[in-house]
Amino acid sequence: MRHVCVLLPNKQHLDCSVRMRARGQEVMNAVLRLLDVSDLQVFGLALLRDNEYLFLDLEQKLSKYFAKIWNRESLKVPFILFLRVKFYLESGLLIFSSKVRQLYYWELRQKVLHSRSCDQEALFFQLAASALQAEVGDLEPEEGIEKEGGEEKQERMQYFLTKDYFPPWLINQRGRSFLLQHSPVLHGELRGVPRSRAILQFLKEASGLRDGPLTFYRVKQGKKELRSSILLGVALTGVHIYQEVEGKQCALFVFTWSDIDRFTFQGSRFEITAVGSLGLSQLVYYTHSAFHSKHILRHLSDSHHFYISTKDAASHIQQLEDMQTCQLHKEAYICDITGLRQRLRCHNITASVSDCSDMEETDTAWIKDEAEDEDQSPSSVEEPEEVFVDDPAEVSWLAELLHGVSVGGPLDFPSSSWAAVTMEMKQVLCRRAGEGVSVD
């Protein structure tokens, strides 16, 4: 027997023992049993090779991945594998198990902290607010905090560590005090949102992060290059290629699956051929080894098949979410008044900003008027009572979840085919349309 330790996205681990001649599927079966789930859907087992995560072919023997040390009988150190997201989704509603959804959430949480999407600063504040609501819950109403003294109020508002919710570059750029001052404002806007729904909101927002829902592989432009400056990103919808320039990721190509004619490799040489209508020459890159090339190609192929099998279900869920968005609209603003005033003076912007022609002279009045408008606004819409889904076989729960129904309960959705999910969703939509009932 061999001892295998599987590290999870939430920084926990699972220990399992397998036969010396075991294949990857035997470890996956042990993980399913220990997590008490029937299907991990979007996850795969990976090992770390040359500072890259490569997903295992579960049909291959583990001895192939751990080489000669796998056969050493005296070895007491466990063999390390990682449970990682292999396929990213645009909506967490496609993940049926609440346990699997939470693991997916924790991996995306780490992806956000390592993101370099400097041009999406506002999105990081939204993600931090959703994560705080999911992990902390409702923030204490501001009226109760106002009664406390200055030091007590400041200490109460510092209820989280900025490094746990923002990437380092944003902390350095804005400063810890700025993040601690403004993040609770957005967190407070989510008061009353169930934690399970906050997780779904975080997953939806994280899918819009440019370098979030991607698995990156480092490749070189030339075989003799010492440093791999090209990042090949595998996404749900295709392949993104970036080049690192002075620590920043510059997009070179964004291919959908329909843009790509074929992938081929020979040894470490990896080729991407686009369809003829794009007019691009063949792209040639070099991986660490033939072993890397083979596993990258397999990941690309599996991702394409996963996209094809889930796109109909994803499309119908998107329709439901769009209907929800049309009926509920909420905005919150974080404004650096000093920085804004400086930019307005520098660029002499007066007419291009609506109703801001005299902003420089009346900053205080502008802030006061906006505060009065907020006081006069109607109270937030009351959330429906949180209930559990009793019939897991009814796909209409997808629509119900959008109104705050808990997904944290004991939901055990059967592992049916995506085609079956899509057909039932179509029936739900058609039935409601026939009854003249709008899907909120």
Side-chain angles (χ1 to χ4, degrees):
M1 304 296 290
R2 292 292 178 264
H3 181 203
V4 178
C5 179
V6 181
L7 303 183
L8 305 180
N10 58 3
K11 298 183 180 180
Q12 297 180 3
H13 68 275
L14 300 174
D15 296 318
C16 57
S17 296
V18 296
R19 299 174 297 114
M20 191 174 74
R21 299 181 63 182
R23 301 178 187 272
Q25 187 62 52
E26 190 169 324
V27 178
M28 180 61 81
N29 293 339
V31 171
L32 291 170
R33 185 174 61 255
L34 292 170
L35 290 177
D36 193 23
V37 296
S38 59
D39 189 0
L40 284 166
Q41 289 185 273
V42 296
F43 282 91
L45 289 175
L47 79 161
L48 196 60
R49 180 74 61 89
D50 296 319
N51 293 322
E52 283 190 342
Y53 293 101
L54 298 178
F55 289 100
L56 273 61
D57 179 354
L58 299 182
E59 299 302 319
Q60 294 291 331
K61 291 183 178 180
L62 294 175
S63 57
K64 175 181 178 180
Y65 293 100
F66 293 108
K68 296 179 180 179
I69 59 173
W70 182 259
N71 297 321
R72 294 180 184 175
E73 296 182 2
S74 60
L75 191 65
K76 302 298 182 182
V77 179
F79 296 91
I80 304 297
L81 290 176
F82 300 83
L83 187 70
R84 292 186 63 83
V85 174
K86 188 175 182 179
F87 313 115
Y88 290 96
L89 299 167
E90 294 182 355
S91 173
L93 292 173
L94 282 168
I95 302 176
F96 306 137
S97 167
S98 60
K99 291 181 180 179
V100 178
R101 191 182 301 116
Q102 288 180 4
L103 290 173
Y104 184 78
Y105 165 80
W106 282 112
E107 177 150 338
L108 276 181
R109 281 276 279 112
Q110 294 302 312
K111 296 278 286 186
V112 168
L113 297 182
H114 293 92
S115 172
R116 299 182 185 178
S117 299
C118 301
D119 57 337
Q120 294 181 288
E121 182 177 342
L123 181 55
F124 288 100
F125 282 92
Q126 298 173 25
L127 288 165
S130 298
L132 286 169
Q133 184 66 19
E135 298 166 24
V136 179
D138 287 347
L139 182 64
E140 182 178 342
E142 189 174 347
E143 300 81 47
I145 299 178
E146 291 293 343
K147 298 178 182 178
E148 301 179 354
E151 293 183 1
E152 293 177 345
K153 177 182 176 182
Q154 183 178 8
E155 183 178 351
R156 181 71 63 88
M157 297 306 290
Q158 296 180 6
Y159 58 96
F160 67 94
L161 298 176
T162 55
K163 67 181 180 66
D164 292 337
Y165 294 89
F166 293 94
W169 63 264
L170 185 52
I171 299 175
N172 295 333
Q173 179 175 308
R174 286 295 179 183
R176 181 173 173 272
S177 298
F178 184 89
L179 302 181
L180 290 173
Q181 176 186 354
H182 293 289
S183 296
V185 177
L186 294 180
H187 180 194
E189 290 289 329
L190 298 177
R191 188 177 297 113
V193 176
R195 297 192 182 197
S196 53
R197 189 175 177 186
I199 288 178
L200 289 173
Q201 181 170 317
F202 179 92
L203 299 181
K204 182 67 176 178
E205 293 167 343
S207 68
L209 201 61
R210 191 182 67 243
D211 59 354
L214 291 158
T215 300
F216 283 111
Y217 297 101
R218 287 192 172 274
V219 295
K220 297 182 291 186
Q221 286 184 303
K223 191 173 184 179
K224 296 184 179 180
E225 283 186 0
L226 298 178
R227 183 177 178 274
S228 303
S229 61
I230 302 296
L231 294 174
L232 190 153
V234 183
L236 170 67
T237 56
V239 177
H240 300 193
I241 299 176
Y242 297 90
Q243 183 171 18
E244 285 189 335
V245 180
E246 297 180 353
K248 297 182 180 180
Q249 295 176 358
C250 301
L252 298 179
F253 304 99
V254 176
F255 296 113
T256 63
W257 295 119
S258 58
D259 292 333
I260 299 171
D261 181 54
R262 64 183 182 276
F263 301 102
T264 55
F265 80 93
Q266 183 177 7
S268 62
R269 181 186 172 95
F270 196 91
E271 301 174 356
I272 302 175
T273 305
V275 294
S277 59
L278 295 181
L280 292 175
S281 58
Q282 189 179 63
L283 301 178
V284 179
Y285 299 108
Y286 293 89
T287 66
H288 288 284
S289 65
F291 182 84
H292 284 72
S293 295
K294 181 178 180 179
H295 284 77
I296 293 174
L297 181 62
R298 184 178 183 86
H299 187 193
L300 289 165
S301 177
D302 292 345
S303 296
H304 182 219
H305 287 301
F306 183 82
Y307 169 74
I308 295 298
S309 64
T310 61
K311 66 177 182 178
D312 287 341
S315 175
H316 287 293
I317 286 180
Q318 185 62 51
Q319 291 179 27
L320 297 175
E321 291 179 335
D322 289 344
M323 293 176 187
Q324 170 78 0
T325 304
C326 290
Q327 297 194 12
L328 296 178
H329 180 71
K330 197 170 191 179
E331 292 185 359
Y333 299 91
I334 294 178
C335 185
D336 186 348
I337 298 298
T338 303
L340 177 61
R341 186 187 300 115
Q342 291 175 350
R343 287 193 292 272
L344 289 172
R345 287 173 178 168
C346 179
H347 297 287
N348 194 24
I349 300 176
T350 55
S352 60
V353 181
S354 176
D355 298 328
C356 291
S357 58
D358 57 346
M359 183 180 290
E360 295 182 22
E361 300 176 3
T362 58
D363 276 334
T364 304
W366 174 56
I367 296 171
K368 182 179 179 181
D369 290 341
E370 191 169 83
E372 291 176 353
D373 290 341
E374 291 178 359
D375 293 338
Q376 297 174 3
S377 63
S379 59
S380 59
V381 179
E382 183 178 355
E383 289 285 350
E385 183 179 356
E386 183 176 356
V387 297
F388 292 116
V389 178
D390 295 323
D391 185 6
E394 176 60 48
V395 186
S396 60
W397 68 276
L398 291 171
E400 307 293 353
L401 286 179
L402 297 175
H403 278 292
V405 176
S406 172
V407 293
L411 178 62
D412 185 17
F413 198 90
S415 299
S416 56
S417 65
W418 290 105
V421 173
T422 302
M423 286 302 298
E424 291 207 36
M425 292 181 69
K426 286 180 178 178
Q427 294 170 7
V428 171
L429 292 174
C430 292
R431 183 170 65 249
R432 296 197 174 190
E435 297 172 354
V437 179
S438 61
V439 182
D440 296 331

